[in-house]
Amino acid sequence: MRKVKEPARGCNSFNVSNELLHELASSFYKSDQITALKCTKQLGDKLSTKHEITCSLNGVTNVELSGQCPVHDDKAPLVHEKLAREHDNGILKVCMWVLFVIALCSPISCLWKNHKGEMKKKEHTQSSSRSAGKWMKKLLVLFVLVGVTVSIWLFWYLNDGIQLRRRETIANMCDERARMLQDQFNVSMNHVHALAILVSTFYHGKQPPAIDQKTFGEYTERTSFERPLTSGVAYALRVRHSEREKFEKEHGWTIKKMDTEDQDQTLAQDCDPANLDPSPIQDEYAPVILSQETVSHIVSIDMMSGKEDRENILRARASGKGVLTSPFKLLKSNHLGVVLTFAVYNTHLHQDATPEQRINATVGYLGASYDVPSLVEKLLHQLASKQTIVVNVYDTTNASAAINMYGPEEIDTGFLHISSLDFGDPSRKHEMRCRFKQRPPPPWTAILASGGVLIITFLLGHIFYAAINRIAAVEHDYRKMMELKHRAEAADVAKSQFLATVSHEIRTPMNGVLGMLQMLMDTNLDAKQLDFAQTAHASGKDLIKLINEVLDQAKIESGRLELEAVPFELRTILDNVVSLLSTKSQEKGIELAVYVSNQLPEVVVGDPGRFRQIITNLVENSLKFTHDRGHIFVSVHLADEVTDENYMKIFNGSKSNAVCNTLSGLPVVDRKKSWENFENLSRKDINESEQIKILVTVEDTGVGIPIKAQSSIFTPFMQADSSTSRTYGGTGIGLSISKRLVGLMNGEIGFVSEPGTGSTFSFTAVFMKKETCSLDTVLQQYHPDTSEFRGLRALVIDQKNIRAEVTRYHLERMGISVTIISDFDSAQSSQSPIDSAVFAMVLIDQEVWDKKSGLAFLRGLKSSTKLFLLANSVSPAIQDEIQSANMVATVVPKPLRLSILISCFQEIISVGNTSFLARRKPSTLGTLLRNKRILVVDDNIVNRRVAEGALKKYGAIVICVDSGKAALEKLKPPHSFHACFMDLQMPEMDGFEATRQIRRLESMVNEQIESGEVSIEMFGNAGHWHTPILAMTADVIQATDEECMKCGMDGYVSKPFEEEQLYSAAACFFESD
């Protein structure tokens, strides 16, 4: 409520000049400028649905205005906002539920489709895997549901935040406009109220009145800037009916009546007072006597004759406050406006004055019209955000028929905010309604964020689902693989057993065949019979070799092949290979040679048998594919030597005088290409203090390998020519086995081949270093002492450097110093009687012999100089030419090897008048087994006869039994046997069990002797019993060898065995006589 305190003013009359009026106007203007308008905005609730604005106006003399601040009507704003919010929430809930249903159905349908397809797979999985899979799929469903829920919640949260910000934005904007409109209206209303006080003071307080129409019009026009919201101001005097005639005479015009009581219709037209009827007779009148120039046409019109104005006048004078009319169309502008009416009193009234007192003290009425659309339009122009929202100002006095005072027709664009307006009249209600001009855009932030979360959820769910399926598939494959693994292991065991059985069953009769053939060849046979026996014996050996290769391949594939680690002499192994294949090379006229670098140690530690097997396979292949001329050259070096200049100078195969520097003079392939792809050729990958890496090269001048076959040369059972009409035989597994063996020796193998030129195979192998002292005794048993040759000098005449180096290599092994010349002419130019006496021997290659120069050279030699001719096959013509010079040339057959050279030199060379006869192996080794009692245990009578015949050749006394039980009785201490050869596979009691029981008996006896329970005399004066037992079986599986050692056997001899094998196995347990 607004309470008005009017200043006390006297009713005495006094005159006021125009200057005084101007000063008064200026004072009101200045007082208005210093007026402090304090507004406090209080926001209640979250959505700013309630606003309370408290205003106070201080400053104009003693005038205090209260009750002019807006008083909210909570009903209408809450109803509209509630309806809008319910509408928005309903749409949002529908969208959220649709999104939830779609998101929920997608993974469920996907899982259901895949569930049907996986039913058969699940039936084959184990119970643990099924439970794990179900658990993971339940977790997947839970994860998807959680992701969908999070996505929906995120959409709701972000969208709610967007909606909240829009509500707050429109609420702030609308409240700001309502506050500004209300503030401006209150300021304007204060000026109108001040004007009413002015009229009361200077019109009614002065006699004669100090204000007339001219002064009032001029004053209100000049001070209109203080009332920018008003379109016009007028003052109507209260005239009672008894005073009407006098009043009309004083003013010279008749009180006019409004054209109609329907103010809206009347004010909508141009009004001319001359055309209006006089006001009808009534108790009192309110003719306009003073007006602003803009509304001067309403002078003389009775404001009491209009229904709306009459009600306002009556309310204004009874309440003492400014009252507003309902909206109406203003003259000329045709805008909706309102009229603010203040009553003018002629005396000072107290605050608690009664309405009757106020009515009696009323002398006139001051009214001001407000153009509401213009007022709001000016306000909106002051704001930058004018174009973003739509503002409507309503008169809601009649809530059922609200009047739109400003703004277009309302269109539902979403949020609606209502701010209450209080223009100081408690009987009139106004409000401002604000909407955004456009409907809100889709909440893209919420949609994209929630959609992103949903997509990520589905992607992760898909990945998780694929991972579950993959895990299930892997588990299924794993179980299948394990099942196949068990089958493969069982098959491998069965294959091993099959191989052992087949090996035993084949080797056992083969042992009898080869043994009996060997015994047959030792009898008196004629040449034809001996040839038949030797052919059969060689064929049997070929069959055994084939069986060994197949077994080796099977053992390599199953991973059961293991290498030995025993000391052996590299050069001896190579000599053995050359001796083995010398006959074939001589038959084909191929020159076969071996060269070992002097940087290699004498003894290394490794598997000599497998090393020999690799070289034998490679050389045999070269022999197979090399025709009647050419050569095969085996060289062994340290792996680091191949980069040395001397190596390349000797072994590069360069041409000199149109002849290649090779063994045969034929061109060869570039050997470097055979190892250029090796990853670890140098010794950097080994421990040089303990290990040694060697490079072995096998060079030939054969037919070469076709280009298309080179990629599969190491494939088992594959040959360059696999047709049924192929020229060359063989199984095609030798190279495959060699490659596997090289890999087991931590080496690499490679080759280079050119069709029509030849091939070169190279491989590396890693061995342990070993001192030679531990092997000296063994070497001396097989090779005669070479000390008698040390210090001798030899002259080698050979035009090919490599071939001369091979001869030097063999001679230097015997301690002989070597000088090399290329031809006889070079020898004659440098030879002298003193020089000829220096050389104990001269070795001439058959290819260098020239009759003229050769004979001249021979005549210059001393008679003590021995002459040797190196040749694959001796030419009788050369022999005759040498004899014509009274010289005897001893032929040294190629391929050269230490044993051949020693035999030849010992037969010819005499040192210190002592002749050295060639030493034969049987005469040396035979004494070790002479008169030794050896027990042979085998259930096969043929094998017993073969072993018995072989051992008796060395002077042994052989006793044979056919079972393990019989052997146990024979070897029960005390006994007189020095060794025992025992078969492993025998009925009733096999060799393993028999050996274990024998060792058990020997252990018991040894313990009794050591403890003194029995005397040594009772057991043949032997203080410790341990009879050497050597396994004799056709089973060559590695596990069998290990089992032999485990049960207490001392050695292993595989069937079919040679005489030397039996002797070597037994002789190592006896000392030489």
Side-chain angles (χ1 to χ4, degrees):
M1 297 295 293
R2 179 179 307 175
K3 298 181 180 180
V4 181
K5 291 185 179 180
E6 297 184 9
R9 46 189 180 272
C11 297
N12 297 327
S13 300
F14 53 90
N15 294 325
V16 181
S17 63
N18 289 338
E19 289 77 4
L20 184 60
L21 289 174
H22 293 318
E23 290 179 358
L24 181 61
S26 299
S27 65
F28 273 108
Y29 174 68
K30 293 178 181 179
S31 65
D32 181 61
Q33 285 182 331
I34 63 173
T35 300
L37 180 61
K38 300 178 181 179
C39 301
T40 304
K41 180 180 178 183
Q42 299 176 350
L43 299 179
D45 299 347
K46 185 178 181 180
L47 300 178
S48 304
T49 56
K50 294 184 178 181
H51 307 280
E52 296 182 359
I53 304 176
T54 304
C55 306
S56 61
L57 180 65
N58 301 315
V60 181
T61 62
N62 294 327
V63 180
E64 179 180 351
L65 302 177
S66 61
Q68 297 296 324
C69 296
V71 178
H72 281 277
D73 183 3
D74 296 336
K75 296 181 180 179
L78 290 175
V79 169
H80 290 289
E81 189 167 354
K82 183 177 180 181
L83 291 175
R85 189 177 298 174
E86 289 179 353
H87 177 71
D88 294 340
N89 290 339
I91 296 176
L92 179 60
K93 289 180 180 179
V94 171
C95 294
M96 290 173 63
W97 277 108
V98 170
L99 181 62
F100 177 77
V101 171
I102 293 175
L104 184 62
C105 291
S106 298
I108 293 178
S109 61
C110 181
L111 289 175
W112 176 252
K113 290 179 181 179
N114 289 276
H115 175 73
K116 292 182 177 180
E118 293 179 356
M119 288 299 294
K120 294 182 179 180
K121 293 183 178 180
K122 288 184 178 180
E123 294 176 358
H124 298 287
T125 58
Q126 296 179 355
S127 59
S128 59
S129 300
R130 287 199 301 267
S131 61
K134 290 180 179 179
W135 178 82
M136 286 190 290
K137 289 188 177 181
K138 288 180 180 179
L139 183 62
L140 172 61
V141 173
L142 179 61
F143 171 78
V144 173
L145 292 178
V146 171
V148 171
T149 304
V150 171
S151 175
I152 295 174
W153 174 85
L154 182 61
F155 175 82
W156 174 85
Y157 178 78
L158 295 177
N159 184 68
D160 186 67
I162 294 172
Q163 302 299 331
L164 178 60
R165 287 190 292 274
R166 287 181 63 84
R167 289 191 184 96
E168 290 179 347
T169 299
I170 196 169
N172 292 334
M173 295 172 68
C174 193
D175 290 342
E176 180 184 17
R177 286 155 178 75
R179 177 181 59 80
M180 293 179 66
L181 177 61
Q182 187 170 277
D183 290 346
Q184 292 186 15
F185 189 88
N186 289 338
V187 172
S188 180
M189 188 171 60
N190 290 338
H191 283 284
V192 173
H193 193 197
L195 187 59
I197 297 173
L198 177 68
V199 172
S200 175
T201 303
F202 292 97
Y203 185 82
H204 294 285
K206 305 294 182 180
Q207 290 297 332
I211 300 176
D212 56 10
Q213 171 60 33
K214 181 180 179 181
T215 303
F216 186 83
E218 184 180 353
Y219 173 77
T220 53
E221 191 66 30
R222 294 180 63 181
T223 59
S224 60
F225 65 87
E226 297 180 342
R227 303 176 303 278
L229 305 181
T230 60
S231 58
V233 181
Y235 176 70
L237 184 66
R238 182 183 182 184
V239 179
R240 292 177 176 82
H241 180 67
S242 59
E243 301 172 349
R244 176 177 179 176
E245 184 177 354
K246 179 182 178 182
F247 174 80
E248 290 177 345
K249 288 180 179 181
E250 289 179 356
H251 291 81
W253 41 261
T254 305
I255 299 174
K256 303 297 183 180
K257 175 189 175 185
M258 289 185 181
D259 187 41
T260 176
E261 291 185 354
D262 189 354
Q263 185 178 356
D264 290 343
Q265 295 295 328
T266 301
L267 295 178
Q269 304 171 0
D270 291 339
C271 181
D272 186 3
N275 298 328
L276 298 178
D277 296 332
S279 177
I281 299 173
Q282 50 189 6
D283 294 339
E284 59 180 67
Y285 308 92
V288 177
I289 61 174
L290 303 174
S291 67
Q292 191 175 344
E293 293 298 332
T294 57
V295 291
S296 60
H297 58 277
I298 67 172
V299 175
S300 75
I301 295 178
D302 181 13
M303 303 307 294
M304 293 287 284
S305 61
K307 181 181 178 180
E308 188 71 25
D309 286 333
R310 182 182 179 87
E311 292 178 356
N312 281 1
I313 289 172
L314 295 179
R315 287 192 297 113
R317 71 184 186 183
S319 62
K321 301 178 179 179
V323 297
L324 296 172
T325 63
S326 61
F328 64 92
K329 292 185 178 179
L330 299 175
L331 297 176
K332 298 187 182 293
S333 66
N334 204 30
H335 289 172
L336 284 181
V338 293
V339 175
L340 174 65
T341 303
F342 278 99
V344 178
Y345 302 104
N346 61 359
T347 182
H348 175 69
L349 296 176
H350 297 285
Q351 292 183 357
D352 55 351
T354 63
E356 290 77 7
Q357 292 176 340
R358 293 183 180 278
I359 293 172
N360 294 331
T362 301
V363 293
Y365 315 98
L366 185 67
S369 62
Y370 289 85
D371 187 345
V372 176
S374 298
L375 172 62
V376 178
E377 195 68 28
K378 289 179 182 179
L379 174 65
L380 296 180
H381 273 296
Q382 299 175 11
L383 302 174
S385 58
K386 170 178 177 287
Q387 302 299 325
T388 58
I389 64 173
V390 178
V391 176
N392 290 81
V393 178
Y394 279 87
D395 184 322
T396 58
T397 303
N398 184 1
S400 61
I403 301 173
N404 186 6
M405 301 173 65
Y406 172 80
E409 294 183 3
E410 291 191 47
I411 300 176
D412 185 11
T413 58
F415 298 120
L416 171 66
H417 184 76
I418 300 175
S419 297
S420 297
L421 297 172
D422 189 350
F423 293 144
D425 186 355
S427 62
R428 310 294 305 182
K429 296 182 179 179
H430 301 84
E431 62 184 28
M432 180 180 286
R433 300 179 183 178
C434 302
R435 294 179 183 271
F436 287 103
K437 283 190 175 181
Q438 297 179 350
R439 295 190 66 85
W444 291 115
T445 302
I447 292 174
L448 293 177
S450 60
V453 172
L454 193 62
I455 291 173
I456 292 174
T457 300
F458 287 155
L459 287 177
L460 292 177
H462 176 71
I463 294 172
F464 191 17
Y465 182 76
I468 293 175
N469 290 340
R470 181 60 180 167
I471 291 172
V474 170
E475 289 179 349
H476 176 72
D477 294 342
Y478 174 76
R479 288 188 296 273
K480 187 175 181 180
M481 180 186 68
M482 293 303 296
E483 182 180 354
L484 294 176
K485 177 177 176 291
H486 295 322
R487 291 181 181 178
E489 290 176 348
D492 185 60
V493 172
K495 183 175 72 172
S496 299
Q497 294 175 350
F498 171 77
L499 289 175
T501 303
V502 170
S503 173
H504 184 272
E505 296 302 324
I506 293 178
R507 287 171 178 273
T508 297
M510 284 302 300
N511 183 58
V513 171
L514 295 177
M516 289 301 176
L517 286 174
Q518 183 64 48
M519 295 174 67
L520 178 63
M521 289 188 293
D522 291 338
T523 62
N524 295 323
L525 300 177
D526 58 27
K528 189 174 183 180
Q529 293 172 338
L530 181 61
D531 180 62
F532 291 160
Q534 289 176 343
T535 303
H537 191 269
S539 299
K541 285 191 173 182
D542 290 339
L543 178 59
I544 289 298
K545 180 182 176 183
L546 174 61
I547 294 172
N548 290 336
E549 288 181 346
V550 173
L551 290 175
D552 285 344
Q553 182 68 26
K555 287 190 287 186
I556 289 173
E557 290 179 353
S558 62
R560 296 178 179 272
L561 184 64
E562 297 181 5
L563 300 182
E564 293 181 332
V566 297
F568 70 95
E569 210 274 332
L570 279 171
R571 294 166 178 81
T572 302
I573 294 295
L574 294 172
D575 282 349
N576 292 341
V577 173
V578 170
S579 298
L580 178 66
L581 302 175
S582 60
T583 303
K584 289 184 179 179
S585 65
Q586 291 171 358
E587 290 175 355
K588 299 185 71 172
I590 298 171
E591 186 157 356
L592 175 63
V594 172
Y595 177 86
V596 180
S597 171
N598 56 9
Q599 296 188 29
L600 266 70
E602 291 291 331
V603 179
V604 294
V605 178
D607 192 327
R610 297 303 178 182
F611 181 69
R612 182 191 302 110
Q613 183 178 356
I614 297 172
I615 297 178
T616 302
N617 285 338
L618 295 178
V619 175
E620 282 184 338
N621 273 346
S622 296
L623 281 172
K624 184 191 306 182
F625 295 102
T626 302
H627 295 299
D628 294 340
R629 66 189 187 93
H631 70 266
I632 299 171
F633 181 38
V634 182
S635 61
V636 185
H637 295 80
L638 288 176
D640 291 341
E641 283 189 80
V642 296
T643 58
D644 187 64
E645 294 182 359
N646 293 330
Y647 175 87
M648 299 305 301
K649 183 178 180 180
I650 299 175
F651 299 100
N652 62 358
S654 61
K655 289 186 178 182
S656 177
N657 298 326
V659 178
C660 293
N661 184 26
T662 61
L663 282 176
S664 61
L666 296 177
V668 294
V669 296
D670 185 2
R671 60 170 53 198
K672 291 190 300 181
K673 294 182 180 180
S674 64
W675 64 70
E676 64 182 4
N677 293 325
F678 287 1
E679 296 181 359
N680 298 310
L681 181 61
S682 65
R683 294 180 293 175
K684 296 180 180 180
D685 59 328
I686 64 174
N687 185 355
E688 296 186 13
S689 62
E690 299 180 356
Q691 295 177 314
I692 184 175
K693 177 179 282 191
I694 66 171
L695 175 67
V696 181
T697 302
V698 179
E699 174 188 279
D700 67 57
T701 56
V703 296
I705 304 172
I707 301 298
K708 63 180 181 180
Q710 292 184 9
S711 60
S712 59
I713 198 67
F714 291 110
T715 304
F717 305 104
M718 293 290 293
Q719 290 186 320
D721 181 12
S722 58
S723 63
T724 56
S725 61
R726 65 180 185 268
T727 306
Y728 310 101
T731 59
I733 60 176
L735 288 178
S736 172
I737 294 174
S738 298
K739 183 176 181 180
R740 299 292 187 93
L741 293 176
V742 168
L744 293 175
M745 294 179 182
N746 298 321
E748 299 172 276
I749 189 170
F751 73 96
V752 58
S753 181
E754 295 179 8
T757 301
S759 304
T760 297
F761 282 80
S762 296
F763 71 92
T764 59
V766 177
F767 297 113
M768 301 294 292
K769 293 182 178 180
K770 184 70 174 179
E771 297 295 332
T772 59
C773 59
S774 62
L775 211 64
D776 286 342
T777 304
V778 179
L779 292 177
Q780 290 300 322
Q781 291 179 351
Y782 289 90
H783 298 291
D785 188 7
T786 59
S787 60
E788 65 269 24
F789 305 111
R790 297 187 186 278
L792 299 181
R793 295 191 62 182
L795 177 65
V796 176
I797 304 176
D798 197 332
Q799 63 181 0
K800 294 186 175 63
N801 294 337
I802 292 182
R803 195 163 55 193
E805 290 295 330
V806 170
T807 306
R808 182 204 297 270
Y809 154 69
H810 289 290
L811 293 175
E812 288 181 347
R813 292 176 64 188
M814 303 167 63
I816 300 175
S817 177
V818 180
T819 300
I820 298 176
I821 58 176
S822 60
D823 51 37
F824 292 110
D825 294 334
S826 300
Q828 289 177 348
S829 63
S830 60
Q831 190 73 23
S832 66
I834 299 175
D835 291 335
S836 64
V838 172
F839 297 106
M841 62 187 75
V842 175
L843 290 88
I844 304 172
D845 192 275
Q846 182 173 294
E847 287 187 6
V848 223
W849 176 258
D850 177 70
K851 181 179 180 181
K852 181 178 179 181
S853 58
L855 291 177
F857 170 76
L858 293 179
R859 292 189 184 99
L861 293 177
K862 295 295 183 179
S863 60
S864 61
T865 303
K866 305 303 179 182
L867 183 63
F868 296 93
L869 188 64
L870 307 179
N872 284 326
S873 59
V874 181
S875 171
I878 296 177
Q879 291 268 26
D880 294 341
E881 292 173 0
I882 293 175
Q883 290 179 0
S884 65
N886 297 321
M887 297 290 294
V888 177
T890 303
V891 178
V892 179
K894 294 182 180 180
L896 298 180
R897 49 199 184 275
L898 185 62
S899 59
I900 293 294
L901 290 174
I902 291 175
S903 299
C904 293
F905 291 172
Q906 286 179 341
E907 290 178 358
I908 302 302
I909 299 176
S910 61
V911 180
N913 297 323
T914 304
S915 297
F916 292 86
L917 299 177
R919 301 176 183 176
R920 302 301 179 185
K921 182 168 57 177
S923 62
T924 302
L925 298 179
T927 58
L928 294 178
L929 297 185
R930 185 171 299 166
N931 298 322
K932 297 296 189 293
R933 294 176 58 84
I934 298 176
L935 179 67
V936 176
V937 184
D938 198 316
D939 61 328
N940 189 295
I941 187 173
V942 177
N943 289 335
R944 293 199 303 269
R945 291 180 61 185
V946 171
E948 181 182 5
L951 293 172
K952 282 185 175 180
K953 288 177 65 175
Y954 294 97
I957 302 173
V958 181
I959 306 300
C960 298
V961 294
D962 60 357
S963 67
K965 289 184 176 180
L968 182 60
E969 293 295 329
K970 292 287 185 181
L971 295 178
K972 184 177 181 180
H975 60 78
S976 59
F977 292 99
H978 297 91
C980 173
F981 286 93
M982 183 174 294
D983 187 26
L984 296 181
Q985 297 184 7
M986 295 181 293
E988 296 184 8
M989 180 182 291
D990 59 20
F992 298 116
E993 182 61 27
T995 303
R996 278 192 287 267
Q997 294 195 23
I998 292 170
R999 296 303 183 211
R1000 191 178 299 114
L1001 291 174
E1002 291 176 344
S1003 178
M1004 292 174 58
V1005 171
N1006 292 334
E1007 290 178 359
Q1008 291 176 356
I1009 294 174
E1010 291 177 1
S1011 63
E1013 296 181 10
V1014 294
S1015 63
I1016 298 179
E1017 290 77 9
M1018 293 178 59
F1019 295 93
N1021 293 321
H1024 183 81
W1025 284 89
H1026 182 88
T1027 304
I1029 300 177
L1030 302 172
M1032 189 174 57
T1033 180
D1035 188 357
V1036 294
I1037 303 300
Q1038 182 71 25
T1040 304
D1041 190 11
E1042 295 175 355
E1043 184 65 22
C1044 291
M1045 300 298 106
K1046 188 176 180 180
C1047 71
M1049 292 186 178
D1050 300 286
Y1052 186 94
V1053 177
S1054 61
K1055 298 177 184 178
F1057 43 74
E1058 301 285 346
E1059 296 175 354
E1060 292 81 359
Q1061 284 181 279
L1062 292 177
Y1063 176 81
S1064 299
C1068 63
F1069 296 98
F1070 308 115
E1071 297 180 358
S1072 178
D1073 294 337

